[in-house]
Amino acid sequence: MTDQATAPEQGTADLPGKPTSASRTTLSHIMTHNDTNLLGTVHGGVIMKLVDDAAGAVAGRHSGGPAVTASMDEMVFLEPVRVGDLVHVKAQVNWTGRTSMEVGVRVLAERWNESAPPTHVGSAYLVFAAVDADGRPRPVPPVIPETERDRRRYQEAQIRRTHRLARRRAILELREKRAAEGHED
């Protein structure tokens, strides 16, 4: 299939593409009392760190080297996580640009001692930039979506990117306008 969902938006033609499955990973961790907040549930920050760790592993695998978190576009907590929950953080590259990647993350939790199916407790989208040894951006291989779900995720990632860039432009334009009007921030 050769539609827009399989071609990178920005030129990385010098690097061969990698299928989505090449860097997909799952990080699992059992939650303990050390992870809890005053309400007795797991701190959102603990979950966010697991999300960043899994996403970073995926970004490094896909890019073939170091990658740093550029932004967390969205983090949604759907259900509380409790002590004794076995948390599974599933991550994959959804989209690639020239030097950046969007990584989608799904967080599931299940009781460590039960055989019930896991519950979807959170989702996140992070943008990673591949960097060289000096911390400068370096090219990443295009991601090749393999399934209809991967193609949908690729297209949704393009929408999120467009919105991120538009939001950034609008904020900069507002700041320039306010500065021209003599407002100091």
Side-chain angles (χ1 to χ4, degrees):
M1 176 178 251
T2 57
D3 60 11
Q4 274 191 333
T6 59
E9 187 170 287
Q10 298 173 358
T12 54
D14 53 331
L15 294 174
K18 288 186 176 179
T20 307
S21 62
S23 57
R24 189 178 288 142
T25 194
T26 300
L27 175 99
S28 296
H29 188 80
I30 193 158
M31 298 291 107
T32 68
H33 288 287
N34 292 335
D35 302 317
T36 60
N37 58 30
L38 295 175
L39 299 175
T41 57
V42 173
H43 277 286
V46 170
I47 301 299
M48 291 172 75
K49 181 177 184 331
L50 294 173
V51 163
D52 192 44
D53 287 346
V58 166
R61 280 181 174 185
H62 182 82
S63 68
V68 295
T69 311
S71 70
M72 181 176 275
D73 200 38
E74 185 175 317
M75 178 75 219
V76 179
F77 298 99
L78 303 170
E79 299 282 338
V81 177
R82 301 172 292 155
V83 169
D85 281 352
L86 182 57
V87 173
H88 307 286
V89 184
K90 298 176 174 283
Q92 75 171 48
V93 173
N94 290 335
W95 176 90
T96 53
R98 193 177 57 77
T99 62
S100 64
M101 303 155 271
E102 183 196 88
V103 178
V105 182
R106 183 176 177 93
V107 184
L108 305 168
E110 61 182 316
R111 296 307 293 166
W112 69 274
N113 59 349
E114 297 176 8
S115 60
T119 301
H120 181 198
V121 297
S123 294
Y125 300 101
L126 296 88
V127 176
F128 277 78
V131 294
D132 64 17
D134 297 320
R136 290 188 297 265
R138 62 181 175 79
V140 299
V143 66
I144 302 168
E146 299 172 280
T147 66
E148 281 305 314
R149 179 180 285 174
D150 292 341
R151 284 184 273 284
R152 174 187 54 80
R153 288 176 176 165
Y154 186 98
Q155 291 168 333
E156 290 173 358
Q158 288 178 304
I159 293 168
R160 282 187 291 275
R161 180 176 186 274
T162 299
H163 285 245
R164 272 193 308 275
L165 294 175
R167 183 177 59 233
R168 183 181 308 149
R169 255 190 323 273
I171 289 169
L172 290 175
E173 288 171 5
L174 176 63
R175 288 178 181 173
E176 289 172 5
K177 178 183 174 209
R178 289 182 53 80
E181 292 171 350
H183 297 283
E184 290 186 34
D185 289 333

